């Protein structure tokens, strides 16, 4: 795919490793350095991304009518500066929850803006017949970082202190910006920006909701991603609290299954020529919803850890294959002059779904208990494949099935 793609891929790799190295860093800083209450930590985890998603809404049209690489570099620099303010305030003894919340909002907004610009940039940079392979590389890189980053970050925090991974994450964004600056391809001049109005703000959602396949895929993503992520804090409470699982075993239980991400992303590239994109989306989207219900039966000891690893391995394998095909299909199905707005609308919607369902399932857990809430999330997930029936019925204009 050429030199420019290698620089883009390298920039993505270094930033995603930095992000996963700093996984849950703000929550750890709030607990270890600021002695924050559980309610404050939950608010930090939910409110920052939610407000960031709202703030990113007008940025979709703004990105659409600008060259994408400078936007990506700028968002890397913004994230680097925002994150570096945390260790600086910590060193000066003035760090507080308000600053962590503000930085979380800034970083979340920049994340969504970067994602919308990068998707449009990839569509321009990578030949159409190489999009699946490119997205497979991004997906496998992300799961490798997910597998390696959190354990290393936890060890670094234990050895150096709670803000060390934030520094590493900030540096990773700076290195990403330098890598993107090495991409030499000259993007075409974007269309002249129209006057910003409600139609422009909502154009991404208008396009998705009018598309016979993207519409059910987005609704499915909002529910499935939201329920999966809503179960993560509940599972942490169950394992670390009620079952007394040591933190290192807890980290291991989620690091090892990430191997499935490498397998799933590679399987996608092999199976799409045989099954076609629509069938892959339907089957892998169905299979990924079948596993989380098993988390309600987790127990203490080796059997419980084995069950979590099995469930997470199956879930991640199916999700990696699904995400690779989804990212490719979404780019192929969206005109070049709408990609940034569509990806921005997609990110805002899924982040809002995750925040809403995480908050709702916290209430459910308070009323029914942690294990029951996990089981209910799993049962609801079993019904989500019905949302994908539109994928089967819709025509497939870009579909090619071998044989």
């Amino acid at each position: 795919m050429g030199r420019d793609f290698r620089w883009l891929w390298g920039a993505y790799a270094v930033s995603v490793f930095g992000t996963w190295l700093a996984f849950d860093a703000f929550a750890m800083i709030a607990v270890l350095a600021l002695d924050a209450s559980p309610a404050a930590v939950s608010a930090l985890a939910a409110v920052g991304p939610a407000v960031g998603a709202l703030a990113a809404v007008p940025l979709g049209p703004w990105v659409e009518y600008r060259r994408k690489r400078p936007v990506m570099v700028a968002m890397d620099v913004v994230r680097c500066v925002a994150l570096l303010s945390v260790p600086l305030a910590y060193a000066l003894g003035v760090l507080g929850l308000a600053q962590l919340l503000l930085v979380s909002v800034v970083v979340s907004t920049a994340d969504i803006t970067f994602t919308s610009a990068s998707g449009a940039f990839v569509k321009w940079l990578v030949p159409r017949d190489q999009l699946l392979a490119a997205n497979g590389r991004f997906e496998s890189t992300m799961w490798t970082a997910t597998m390696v980053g959190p354990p290393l970050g936890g060890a670094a925090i234990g050895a150096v202190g709670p803000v060390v991974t934030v520094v590493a994450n900030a540096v990773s964004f700076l290195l990403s910006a330098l890598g993107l600056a090495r991409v030499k391809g000259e993007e075409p001049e974007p269309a002249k920006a129209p006057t910003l109005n409600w139609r422009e703000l909502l154009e991404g959602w208008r396009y998705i909701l009018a598309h016979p396949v993207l519409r059910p895929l987005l609704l499915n993503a909002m529910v499935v991603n939201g329920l999966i992520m809503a179960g993560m804090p509940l599972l942490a409470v169950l394992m670390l609290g009620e079952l007394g699982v040591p933190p290192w075993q807890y980290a291991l239980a989620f690091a090892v299954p990430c191997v499935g991400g490498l397998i799933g992303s590679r399987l996608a590239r092999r199976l799409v020529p045989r099954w076609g994109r629509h069938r892959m989306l339907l089957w892998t989207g169905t299979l990924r919803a079948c596993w989380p219900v098993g988390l309600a039966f987790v127990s203490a000891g080796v059997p419980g850890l084995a069950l979590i690893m099995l469930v997470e391995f199956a879930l991640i394998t199916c999700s990696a294959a699904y995400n690779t095909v989804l990212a490719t299909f979404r780019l192929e199905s969206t005109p070049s002059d709408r990609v940034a707005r569509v990806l921005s609308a997609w990110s805002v919607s899924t982040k809002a779904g995750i925040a809403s369902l995480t908050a709702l399932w916290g209430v459910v857990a308070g009323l029914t208990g942690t294990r029951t809430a996990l089981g209910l999330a799993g049962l609801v997930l079993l019904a989500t494949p019905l949302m994908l029936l539109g994928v089967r019925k819709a025509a497939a204009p870009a579909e090619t099935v071998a044989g």
Side-chain angles (χ1 to χ4, degrees):
M1 282 174 274
R3 171 189 177 278
D4 282 350
F5 177 78
R6 288 194 294 271
W7 277 110
L8 175 65
W9 185 20
Y12 173 80
V14 70
S15 66
V16 78
F17 268 96
T19 297
W20 282 102
L21 189 72
F23 179 67
D24 268 355
F26 279 16
M28 292 186 184
I29 291 172
V31 172
L32 298 177
L34 304 179
D35 196 26
S37 67
V41 175
S42 298
L44 179 63
V47 174
V51 176
L54 182 63
V57 170
L59 292 175
W62 180 81
V63 172
E64 194 75 78
Y65 298 105
R66 281 159 178 78
R67 285 195 171 99
K68 308 305 181 289
R69 186 168 66 97
V71 172
M72 295 159 66
V73 172
M75 292 304 105
D76 274 339
V77 173
V78 167
R79 289 184 287 187
C80 175
V81 172
L83 288 170
L84 285 178
S85 71
V86 173
L88 178 61
Y90 178 78
L92 296 174
V94 295
L95 181 63
L97 280 172
Q99 181 178 348
L100 289 181
L101 183 60
L102 178 60
V103 172
S104 177
V105 169
V106 172
V107 171
S108 296
T109 305
D111 284 344
I112 295 174
T113 307
F114 183 95
T115 298
S116 62
S118 64
F121 188 71
V122 168
K123 180 165 183 172
W124 168 78
L125 180 67
V126 178
R128 183 185 177 93
D129 61 350
Q130 294 292 322
L131 276 176
L132 184 65
N135 285 313
R137 293 187 183 184
F138 291 137
E139 188 74 13
S140 62
T141 302
M142 189 273 290
W143 285 112
T144 302
T146 308
M147 177 172 56
V148 176
L152 289 179
I157 288 174
V160 181
V163 299
V164 62
T165 57
V166 178
V167 176
N169 195 18
V171 172
S172 77
F173 287 126
L174 178 60
L175 293 176
S176 173
L178 294 174
L180 290 170
R182 300 284 295 179
V183 177
K184 300 300 183 183
E186 188 66 27
E187 295 179 71
E189 184 71 28
K192 184 178 179 180
T195 302
L196 187 62
N197 53 44
W198 283 107
R199 183 179 180 85
E200 284 297 315
L201 288 177
L202 300 177
E203 180 59 30
W205 284 281
R206 286 166 56 87
Y207 183 82
I208 293 170
L209 295 177
H211 195 285
V213 181
L214 291 179
R215 181 177 61 250
L217 290 176
L218 175 59
L219 296 176
N220 179 265
M222 291 173 64
V223 176
V224 173
N225 294 354
L227 286 171
I228 290 174
M229 295 306 296
M232 297 308 294
L234 303 182
L235 190 59
V237 171
L238 177 64
M239 293 178 65
L240 298 173
E242 298 176 22
L243 300 179
V245 175
W248 70 269
Q249 290 185 10
Y250 174 78
L252 188 66
F254 291 99
V256 172
C258 290
V259 174
L262 305 179
I263 297 172
S265 59
R266 290 181 175 273
L267 281 176
R269 284 181 279 174
R270 294 177 179 272
L271 294 178
V272 163
R274 179 177 300 178
W275 287 7
R277 284 162 172 68
H278 284 61
R279 195 178 300 175
M280 277 289 292
L281 288 170
L282 181 62
W283 285 107
T284 55
T286 299
L287 287 173
R288 69 178 178 151
C290 295
W291 308 104
V293 69
L295 296 175
F297 303 98
V298 169
S299 60
V302 174
L305 287 177
L307 175 61
I308 291 176
M309 289 185 181
L310 176 63
V311 169
E312 291 293 326
F313 175 81
L315 171 63
I316 290 171
T317 302
C318 297
S319 295
Y322 178 85
N323 292 340
T324 300
V325 182
L326 172 63
T328 303
F329 178 82
R330 194 171 52 204
L331 289 178
E332 291 178 340
S333 303
T334 306
S336 297
D337 62 351
R338 288 186 178 91
V339 171
R341 284 172 287 180
V342 165
L343 294 181
S344 178
W346 197 285
S347 295
V348 169
S349 300
T350 52
K351 285 181 181 293
I354 290 171
S356 301
L357 287 173
T358 298
L360 175 60
W361 244 256
V363 175
V364 172
L367 296 174
T368 65
T370 305
R371 193 182 294 273
T372 302
L374 281 169
L376 289 173
L379 290 175
V380 175
L381 278 167
L382 290 176
T384 56
L386 295 174
M387 304 171 71
L388 295 174
L389 292 179
V391 176
R392 165 180 270 180
K393 296 177 182 177
E399 187 93 291
T400 55
V401 183

